[in-house]
Amino acid sequence: VMDLQAPERKMSKSVDSPQGTVLVLDEPELIERKFKRAVTDSESEVRFDPEAKPGVANLLSILAAATGGDPAALAGDYQQYGPLKADTAEAVIELLRPLQQRFAELAADPTETSRILALGADKARKTASATMARVRDRLGLPG
């Protein structure tokens, strides 16, 4: 996924401007605002052309990833950038909604979160222990 403000580089939370990056916990209104301000070009034709139209191609790729569609086929559904940006924002918001809801549930119940983390740690410890036993055995180290 490329940056919404600089579609020639990957989206990253470590860039100077956060406007080009959508974070998993961004509020829906912020996600919508970021997509509305996404870089396109001065033309008006919506087509999937990563070389000539990297901003538009990025929006179409994100929309395709969020909806399971094909970027080139989705381009045919749009005559203007505004509706493309709005639909892409809505698709991303809907894609992130379950993750955001689950995060809110876990944040509201620290005891449950701690329990789940402890279960995960136990499972990881068992897996790591078995792996390390095999490594020690193959290297001839005492177990």
Side-chain angles (χ1 to χ4, degrees):
V1 175
M2 307 310 276
D3 190 283
L4 296 175
Q5 293 299 310
E8 67 281 352
R9 70 172 185 238
K10 289 183 179 179
M11 200 179 275
S12 170
K13 64 181 185 175
S14 63
V15 294
D16 294 335
S17 171
Q19 290 305 107
T21 303
V22 175
L23 303 176
V24 173
L25 297 178
D26 279 349
E27 293 290 327
E29 298 78 23
L30 179 58
I31 294 171
E32 194 173 334
R33 196 165 44 250
K34 288 179 178 183
F35 275 100
K36 282 182 180 177
R37 294 179 181 163
V39 169
T40 51
D41 55 50
S42 59
E43 295 178 17
S44 60
E45 180 187 10
V46 178
R47 71 177 191 275
F48 185 72
D49 185 345
E51 293 296 317
K53 300 172 86 59
V56 177
N58 187 35
L59 290 170
L60 289 165
S61 294
I62 294 169
L63 179 60
T67 62
D70 174 67
L74 288 168
D77 296 340
Y78 298 94
Q79 273 67 64
Q80 298 177 326
Y81 297 150
L84 171 61
K85 290 178 178 185
D87 288 354
T88 304
E90 186 57 35
V92 169
I93 289 167
E94 289 307 312
L95 182 69
L96 295 177
R97 190 177 310 279
L99 296 169
Q100 292 178 346
Q101 288 173 338
R102 183 66 175 140
F103 179 84
E105 290 168 7
L106 292 171
D109 189 352
T111 303
E112 176 64 5
T113 302
S114 294
R115 186 188 72 75
I116 292 169
L117 289 172
L119 287 173
D122 286 343
K123 183 176 178 182
R125 204 172 355 269
K126 288 176 186 170
T127 302
S129 176
T131 301
M132 287 307 297
R134 283 195 313 274
V135 169
R136 282 189 202 96
D137 182 56
R138 289 189 181 147
L139 292 175
L141 300 172

